[in-house]
Amino acid sequence: MQLHLRQLRGGLRAGSSVHLPLYCGFAVLFSAIPSLALDHVTVEREGRKLTLTGRVRVEAADGSLLFETRDGSYWLLSSDQILERSSDAEPFRAFTAEELAQQLRQEFGPGFSTRKTGHYLIVYNCGDSYAAWCGWLFERLYGAFQNFWSRRGLALSEPEYPLVAIVFRNQRDFTRYATADVGGAASAIIGYYHLEKNRMILYDLTETSGLAPQSGRRSVAEINRLLNHPQASRAVATIVHEATHQLCFNCGMFSRMTETPLWLSEGIAMFFETPDLQSTAGWAGVGEKNPKRAADFYAYLPRRARNSLATLIQSDDRFRDTSTAIDAYAEAWALSYYLLRKYPQKTIKYIKKMKDLPIGGEYPPDARLRDFQEVFGDLEAVEAEFLRSFSR
């Protein structure tokens, strides 16, 4: 099971931890702040003072903040951490790619380089050729993603920030960094999208795959050929999966400040995750059956509970339980695959409804089910047709 840190829904309680990459709900009333000025907040965290510059996105009744800095990071600040607040007449402006690259070089140190593409900023200490391959893959995905949705009537936006990817040279360096974010799961994953930091964290797959032990001296074309090998296909799919999450939350499909149901966000990521690296005609296979997820779903069908679709839609719990996560991901892929192929316009309508969810608010099971049925119809009827389509 892979761990994804891509969902955030407020989460400010007095005395609680402020680093909350997973759901945990506002305990007090809050309001969204349409900040036109540049805000400055001085806070004390872990015994040291920090001054943050950016904009207040959400303010709770007790003074706690969801604060966005100019690099696109979200900071959850409890009221007792905030020492000073001020604002000035200068309007908020996101960092340019050059400004962001300078900040990231300072953060990661002299051993890291930066590489800019049309939409991405890659920070890396792996070989130049692997960083270039990542940029090539990301930009191909970006074009396919925008094209797929625009052809179906969903207008997406350009990202406000350069899309950041951190690429470590090997699994050891990746695990050392990722442990602070995901704990013990770091050694079992190969990449993730961090919602608060708004960046992907990856490592050079060819260094540990056994396919290319000295990839730093290989060309982009050779890396592409090696990673198109069946042994590496699932690893590449994971990179694309995380990059799709980043696009969903940066191109106007979903909001980082609302509770997007996991079945939808994961389903879309799995819908895009399997590329044909040898295709010269763009991103071949978007919308085709995902062999791995399909196999998992067919394996699940004989023991599938009668209320399986309801539990998937009403709650994210199945994704967070290691005993049910594989089945939840498989069913999320199957449902998204079915709806996007059978009812693309209804799916677009549902996606737009998710974007308009209340900022920072909880999304309870009854509301999730009601919203789904308002768009797609009675759940029992949807489930019956959904299962018939896969039985064929």
Side-chain angles (χ1 to χ4, degrees), residues 105-118:
R105 283 193 292 267
Q106 291 175 349
E107 177 183 346
F108 285 90
F112 284 78
S113 303
T114 58
R115 183 182 189 90
K116 184 181 180 301
T117 68

Side-chain angles (χ1 to χ4, degrees), residues 220-286:
V220 173
E222 190 168 9
I223 291 173
N224 188 55
R225 179 180 61 80
L226 289 164
L227 290 180
N228 201 45
H229 191 281
Q231 284 181 254
S233 61
R234 287 305 307 160
V236 175
T238 299
I239 294 176
V240 176
H241 184 112
E242 303 307 331
T244 301
H245 281 313
Q246 189 178 42
L247 290 176
C248 287
F249 286 102
N250 282 271
C251 293
M253 176 177 287
F254 302 138
S255 169
R256 289 195 288 155
M257 296 187 290
T258 61
E259 184 181 330
T260 305
L262 287 186
W263 78 262
L264 180 63
S265 63
E266 293 298 343
I268 289 174
M270 289 181 282
F271 193 79
F272 278 85
E273 74 182 10
T274 308
D276 177 1
L277 296 180
Q278 297 302 320
S279 170
T280 58
W283 196 271
V286 173

Side-chain angles (χ1 to χ4, degrees), residues 63-186:
S64 300
L65 301 176
L66 173 59
F67 194 83
E68 181 180 12
T69 49
R70 293 178 60 202
D71 62 353
S73 297
Y74 280 175
W75 294 71
L76 292 163
L77 306 174
S78 60
S79 57
D80 58 355
Q81 294 175 319
I82 299 171
L83 304 177
E84 297 178 19
R85 284 183 62 179
S86 64
S87 61
D88 54 42
E90 182 181 352
F92 175 87
R93 178 180 60 81
F95 276 150
T96 65
E98 290 72 22
E99 291 170 329
L100 185 53
Q102 181 178 359
Q103 176 175 293
L104 289 167
R105 283 193 292 267
Q106 291 175 349
E107 177 183 346
F108 285 90
F112 284 78
S113 303
T114 58
R115 183 182 189 90
K116 184 181 180 301
T117 68
H119 300 94
Y120 290 84
L121 181 60
I122 301 169
V123 183
Y124 64 97
N125 66 348
C126 60
D128 290 339
S129 56
Y130 190 81
W133 177 85
C134 288
W136 168 84
L137 181 69
F138 296 153
E139 289 293 347
R140 288 187 69 205
L141 172 63
Y142 184 94
F145 187 86
Q146 291 276 357
N147 182 59
F148 179 87
W149 296 111
S150 66
R151 290 175 61 184
R152 286 155 181 80
L154 180 62
L156 299 179
S157 58
E158 289 285 311
E160 184 175 12
Y161 302 92
L163 301 171
V164 174
I166 312 299
V167 186
F168 289 95
R169 60 189 169 188
N170 54 42
Q171 187 178 26
R172 183 182 63 255
D173 288 2
F174 166 85
T175 302
R176 186 182 300 116
Y177 177 89
T179 297
D181 289 338
V182 303

